[in-house]
Amino acid sequence: MANPEWTSRGKTVAQLIEELRTFENQNMEVRISIDDGETSLPISLVGKSQGKYALLKNCEDVPTVLHHHDEQT
């Protein structure tokens, strides 16, 4: 089965900022996951690529991966 369209559509910078503003705790650490939240990495930098993408980067030599088994969001 193919992924639903919303999973690959992505967000604009403005959409991401708008969504992050809804978080009550604005001092919460931001991390990124590419496995549906099973694990995550801290975001070290935000950069640009090819003038059309904003990239969330982890720049650690040895990434500090967190495992989020059965956590409530």
Side-chain angles (χ1 to χ4, degrees):
M1 180 177 181
N3 288 331
E5 180 186 335
W6 67 267
T7 63
S8 58
R9 180 174 46 233
K11 293 184 183 280
T12 65
V13 170
Q15 289 169 327
L16 181 58
I17 290 169
E18 181 179 345
E19 189 169 342
L20 289 171
R21 283 189 177 137
T22 69
F23 284 69
E24 187 174 319
N25 180 356
Q26 291 289 301
N27 294 313
M28 184 183 307
E29 179 184 358
V30 177
R31 300 180 65 89
I32 189 162
S33 175
I34 60 169
D35 58 8
D36 196 29
E38 287 291 318
T39 60
S40 68
L41 297 165
I43 296 171
S44 305
L45 294 171
V46 178
K48 296 177 191 174
S49 177
Q50 303 173 6
K52 57 183 177 179
Y53 303 110
L55 297 179
L56 306 178
K57 302 178 186 180
N58 175 282
C59 300
E60 298 173 294
D61 291 333
V62 179
T64 53
V65 177
L66 287 182
H67 297 273
H68 307 278
H69 300 288
D70 300 322
E71 283 189 9
Q72 296 287 335
T73 55

